[in-house]
Structures are given as structure tokens and as C-alpha cells.
Amino acid sequence: MTFNFPRYILRETGHSMKRNPWLSIASVLTVMVSLVILGFSIFFLANASNVAQSFESQLEIAAFVKDDATAVQVQTLQSQIQGMTGVASVTIVTKQQALADFGKNMGGSQSNLVTDLGGTNPFPDKLTIKATNPQDVENLAAAISALPEIDTVRYGQGYVDKLLQFTKWLRWIGFGVVGAFSVASVVLISINVKMNVFSKRREIQIMKLVGASNGFIRWPFLIEGLTLGLLGGGLAALVVGMGYNWITMYIQSTLTFLPVVRNVVLFRQVLGGLLLAGMAMGAVGSGVSLQKFLHS
Amino acid sequence: MIQLRNVSKIYPNGARALVDVNLKIDKGEFVFLVGPSGAGKSTLIKLFYRDETPTRGQVQINGKNLVRMKEREVPYLRRSIGVIFQDFKLLPNKTVQENVAFALEVIGVSRKEVRARTSNMLELVGLAGKENAFPNELSGGEQQRVCVARAIINNPALLIADEPTGNLDPETAWGIMDLLFNINKRGTTIVMATHARAIVNKMQKRVIAIENGRVARDEEMGGYGYDV
């Protein structure tokens, strides 16, 4: 039977973690805490941009058609606007529909309403236009109001600017939080890994003196770093997963108006990402800090 | 086996540990290295297993030039040299058995053979029954014997011993000397730095005295030579 290196690595890794239980626990906890914060910050970003998007999607342009336009003209108008660049959708709200909606909102019946209004329908035909990009709303509105058949255009003038400013900031804050916590967790974990390897520098030196090659020393350390990182990342994924699930369920049942992101794909990606990040930082961090001691 | 030509070692802090040392030790020799503390014995020994490289001059071990040696060749050199360290250098998180076994695992000996050879070796150095103890649970003398066991377990061509009897009672010290003597008889070259006058005087081997970084005396069948 020859020497079984993989088996040796696993045995060494196990021994090392078992015989330094506090160091191992400290490493796992450091990785876990950093990644929990990072995980929640990613979901914060997702929700911030979701809120921003839902605000923006409510932006629309209402174009009122001149009273003398025929139904055919209105339809031509619709396809004309549809053809403009940056337009996502154009829907027609006819006078009749407008009246009916109004009636419904008022709680009365339509016939009564027409009579009450003196036998005429005061509502104009309306086109509701959604822009592909909310930034374009203002320019589109200007272009549409220039059309001869259009009477007036409303799109929340003045309010749009402020809303877009707000959603822009919301997104930047989200990115800022994720960026800051990414840096923080990388720093925190790499300091921890460095301390871990540093505490073993004497052992590394002894191993070298007894004739161990760098590879022989490196592998058990890498696998140990990887295992501790994986444990930390796994625990972080568990905490973030269960925590986020609980928080969003709570919000959905109490603050129903607040849109929360419950996207299974995103959920899996973030949790998987945390797991991988822990593993990678554990292994790469160990490798990099080990290199310094191996060549001293 | 060992050849030093015009070797000088000056540490970065300016300390001149060795000055123009010329030395030749043949295969199979048993050499005592004596001299006052701080004379340069430890530095000289460290040159042999390339823990230090000389500032000037050449070091040759077993026909290999240690000054020109590449870093990745160093482990192979060290596997052919057993070192009994003055401060033992045991791995604190490994048991006695694992510490000794490490020297064999490093060269890729199978598990079964490692187990058989380590338990023989531990018996030989009188540590049977202590296999699963950790170094910090052992006395100084016991730790030293673990170090001895690790140094000789893969039958090195050269055995370097830095004060191998320093922490031992006379009886155990002679036990270790018997062991070294037997290993030497099987052909292993031994260089032993020591302050143990009685041992040096009794063994009647080659004695090299180092003083102020220079070879002050080199005689066959010599004595310790310092009166304290």
C-alpha cells in the first residue's frame, strides 16, 4: 500500500480543527456574521430597487383627445403614439369607459349620471401611455402634446423629477450598503484567516525543517480554510434565508402596501453566493497568507 | 559528507557568527562540536540543514552545494538529514506518535509501515505507553526523546544533534548516546554540539572546538578541553 495523500489531508484537517476548537469556532463565526450582514444588505438592495421600480411603473402619461375627434381618429392616434420611440404601451380609455369608471367610483348608475349631468357625457377620450424608461416621460409628454388632435397632456409635472431623484438615491444607497458590507466582510474574514495562519507559523516552520514540501504543508491548510469558510457560509445562508423569509412574511401580513421581493431565483442565488463566498474566501485567504510563511 | 570552504556568516544585525571556517567531515564520522555558548556552534549546525545560508563561502553536503540550491530542493536535502533540535521543535497539536510519524509521512511512507516503524522507534527511545500524549504533557527529557526518535526514524545519512542530552539525567543521557553510537556504527555520520564534558571525554571521538566564530581546535580522539 502506498501513501494516501488525500486521506492524509482529511485526517490532518480534522485533527487540526478538533484540536483548536476555539480557533475553529471563532473563524466560523467571523465568516458567518460577515456574510449574514452581507446577505441582508443584498436583499436590502433588491427591495430598494424593487420599491423604486414600483414607484416608477406608476408613472404614466394621460393624453386627452380633442372633443371633435372620431373613434377612427383616436385609433390612428393610438398607433401613431405607439410608433414613437420609448413608448411601452398605449391604451385607449373612451368617453363611455371614463364615464362608467367615474360612475363606479361614485357608486351610482350610469343612466342616472348622464341625466344628472344634463344628458351629455363631459369626459373626453383619453390615451394612457407608459414609457419604457421613466426618464423619458417628460420628453414623450412634450412630443405627444404637440400632436394636433391632442387637447391636453398630464403626467405629474414637477412630481416626476422628484420621484426619479428619489428612486435614484434609493438605488445608490442600496448599492452603497452592499459595497460597504462586501468590503467589510472581505477585510474581516481575511484578517481572521491571517490570524489563523499566523498562529500556526511555528508549526509551518517545524514542518519545513523536518523536510515537508510546500505542497505537503499547504493542502491541509487550504482544506481547513475551505471547510471553515463553507461552514460559516452555510450557517450564514441558513440565517439569512430563514430571517428574510420571516421578515417578508411579517411585512406582507402587516404592512401590505409595502412591496417586498420574494423571488425564489434571487433567493437561491444569494444563498448559494454566500456559501460559495465563504468557501472561496476561506480557501483563497488561507492560500495567500500561507504563501508568505512558506517562503520565509 | 560535509565540506565548508571559507564560510563566513554575518547576521543582518552585524553579528559575526562565523569567520572564514574551513571544515571537512567524512562519511561515517562521529564529531563533537564544542565551545562556549555563543561561539557559533548553532549557526554552523544551521548551515548543514540550510536553515541559514552563509554570507560568504561554500557549503557542500553529500556532494550538493547548499548555497546554490533552489528552494524546492531544500525539503529533499532535509529528508536525508535528521536533526535533534536544542528546543525540540515538536508540533504542539500532534501526539508523540504523530510527531514521530510526520517524518515518515513527509516522504510518503504507507500508513501501515508508519505505524509499525513509529511504535518500534518509540520503544527504542523508551517512550512506549506515551504514544497518545501531547508534547506539553511530557517532561523535557521525554520531549527530547521524541525529537530524537523523529530525527532518526528514516535512517538519515547525516544526523545533527544540538545538545541532545542537555535535558536528560545521566542515565538517560547515556542511553541516548548508546543509541547515537549504534546509529553511527551502521554508517550514519553524526555531528553533535554539546557541553557534556563527561560524554566527550569518554567517547574519544573527533572534537572540533569553535571559538569566536572560528575553528579553534580540531583533533581526532579529542577531549572536551574546557575546564569549568
Side-chain angles (χ1 to χ4, degrees):
Chain A
M1 197 183 85
T2 52
F3 183 67
N4 189 333
F5 192 46
R7 186 163 145 184
Y8 165 82
I9 293 171
L10 291 182
R11 182 162 49 95
E12 282 299 295
T13 306
H15 277 176
S16 176
M17 290 193 297
K18 208 170 61 194
R19 288 170 189 172
N20 295 299
W22 289 111
L23 201 63
S24 306
I25 290 169
S27 308
V28 170
L29 285 182
T30 309
V31 174
M32 185 188 107
V33 170
S34 332
L35 291 180
V36 162
I37 294 170
L38 181 63
F40 275 118
S41 74
I42 291 171
F43 280 117
F44 173 78
L45 168 66
N47 277 292
S49 91
N50 182 49
V51 166
Q53 203 182 356
S54 86
F55 278 144
E56 284 167 4
S57 72
Q58 286 165 19
L59 282 181
E60 53 184 32
I61 302 166
F64 298 98
V65 184
K66 282 185 180 149
D67 223 18
D68 54 3
T70 63
V72 179
Q73 274 177 319
V74 172
Q75 263 167 30
T76 322
L77 205 53
Q78 180 192 22
S79 47
Q80 193 183 349
I81 293 171
Q82 186 75 69
M84 297 170 113
T85 47
V87 173
S89 69
V90 185
T91 44
I92 301 173
V93 184
T94 58
K95 318 167 158 263
Q96 290 78 15
Q97 266 173 296
L99 183 67
D101 289 346
F102 180 70
K104 244 180 265 158
N105 286 343
M106 288 303 173
S109 75
Q110 199 187 340
S111 54
N112 283 342
L113 206 65
V114 179
T115 328
D116 293 348
L117 290 169
T120 52
N121 182 349
F123 289 99
D125 288 319
K126 185 177 84 173
L127 294 169
T128 305
I129 299 117
K130 288 213 164 165
T132 331
N133 186 344
Q135 316 287 342
D136 296 340
V137 164
E138 204 164 350
N139 291 334
L140 269 179
I144 291 165
S145 71
L147 297 170
E149 297 88 345
I150 298 294
D151 188 15
T152 51
V153 164
R154 276 215 313 264
Y155 65 94
Q157 288 92 328
Y159 157 80
V160 172
D161 270 354
K162 280 179 193 145
L163 181 72
L164 290 180
Q165 203 76 347
F166 171 70
T167 56
K168 193 175 90 182
W169 276 108
L170 200 56
R171 284 198 177 93
W172 276 117
I173 290 169
F175 278 117
V177 167
V178 171
F181 283 128
S182 301
V183 172
S185 54
V186 167
V187 169
L188 216 63
I189 292 172
S190 62
I191 287 175
N192 178 271
V193 168
K194 256 182 212 148
M195 273 166 46
N196 224 330
V197 174
F198 189 75
S199 75
K200 288 175 181 161
R201 72 196 184 287
R202 195 178 138 75
E203 266 177 82
I204 294 168
Q205 193 207 0
I206 294 172
M207 288 174 171
K208 289 189 71 169
L209 287 178
V210 182
S213 63
N214 286 349
F216 196 85
I217 299 171
R218 187 183 295 124
W219 277 103
F221 276 93
L222 287 188
I223 301 297
E224 185 181 345
L226 188 135
T227 311
L228 294 177
L230 187 70
L231 280 175
L235 284 174
L238 204 70
V239 169
V240 172
M242 291 187 357
Y244 186 72
N245 198 29
W246 183 82
I247 290 170
T248 50
M249 292 225 289
Y250 184 76
I251 289 177
Q252 276 184 333
S253 64
T254 51
L255 305 162
T256 41
F257 58 89
L258 209 67
V260 286
V261 177
R262 287 181 67 83
N263 179 335
V264 180
V265 177
L266 176 76
F267 202 64
R268 284 193 191 139
Q269 278 171 348
V270 170
L271 299 194
L274 292 181
L275 204 70
L276 282 178
M279 209 167 76
M281 282 199 268
V284 174
S286 304
V288 170
S289 14
L290 199 58
Q291 210 59 19
K292 214 166 44 190
F293 293 113
L294 283 179
H295 294 291
S296 58
Chain B
M1 173 58 72
I2 301 177
Q3 195 164 16
L4 271 67
R5 260 174 289 163
N6 309 319
V7 167
S8 295
K9 176 70 187 179
I10 301 163
Y11 283 108
N13 65 7
R16 296 156 69 87
L18 294 173
V19 184
D20 206 25
V21 173
N22 284 285
L23 202 61
K24 190 164 181 290
I25 296 172
D26 288 323
K27 187 166 165 38
E29 275 197 88
F30 195 124
V31 179
F32 285 116
L33 220 51
V34 300
S37 302
K41 296 193 300 292
S42 283
T43 301
L44 185 61
I45 277 178
K46 282 179 181 168
L47 291 175
F48 297 164
Y49 56 94
R50 208 182 177 272
D51 201 15
E52 296 287 356
T53 47
T55 315
R56 268 195 301 279
Q58 296 299 325
V59 180
Q60 237 181 42
I61 303 282
N62 237 343
K64 293 212 175 63
N65 187 320
L66 267 53
V67 178
R68 268 185 253 144
M69 181 172 269
K70 292 195 182 73
E71 210 210 326
R72 65 183 153 79
E73 295 174 292
V74 173
Y76 298 96
L77 168 79
R78 289 179 181 161
R79 289 173 202 177
S80 67
I81 302 174
V83 184
I84 302 168
F85 299 97
Q86 193 169 16
D87 57 351
F88 321 139
K89 296 207 188 296
L90 300 177
L91 296 162
N93 285 314
K94 284 185 187 293
T95 63
V96 167
Q97 195 271 336
E98 289 164 351
N99 262 287
V100 178
F102 190 76
L104 293 177
E105 285 165 346
V106 154
I107 56 174
V109 174
S110 78
R111 233 160 102 83
K112 215 168 114 192
E113 201 187 328
V114 166
R115 213 173 293 159
R117 278 168 72 178
T118 48
S119 74
N120 277 343
M121 183 51 71
L122 289 174
E123 197 147 338
L124 189 66
V125 297
L127 286 171
K130 298 272 185 184
E131 288 86 353
N132 295 319
F134 286 95
N136 64 1
E137 298 164 349
L138 300 177
S139 71
E142 286 168 328
Q143 290 183 38
Q144 191 145 34
R145 278 180 282 159
V146 178
C147 186
V148 171
R150 184 181 63 186
I152 64 180
I153 194 158
N154 53 16
N155 302 315
L158 170 62
L159 182 66
I160 293 163
D162 199 354
E163 298 258 13
T165 59
N167 293 278
L168 305 179
D169 60 85
E171 201 181 327
T172 322
W174 278 110
I176 294 290
M177 288 317 297
D178 277 344
L179 197 63
L180 296 185
F181 190 63
N182 284 328
I183 292 165
N184 177 239
K185 271 203 294 204
R186 289 198 315 231
T188 297
T189 313
I190 296 184
V191 178
M192 172 173 160
T194 187
H195 288 120
R197 165 197 315 276
I199 290 173
V200 176
N201 286 338
K202 176 135 189 246
M203 298 275 285
Q204 291 290 298
K205 298 287 184 187
R206 181 178 171 189
V207 174
I208 298 173
I210 307 286
E211 284 169 43
N212 295 322
R214 296 170 199 270
V215 176
R217 176 162 59 96
D218 185 350
E219 48 192 20
E220 296 297 327
M221 310 230 302
Y224 186 73
Y226 294 98
D227 293 311
V228 181

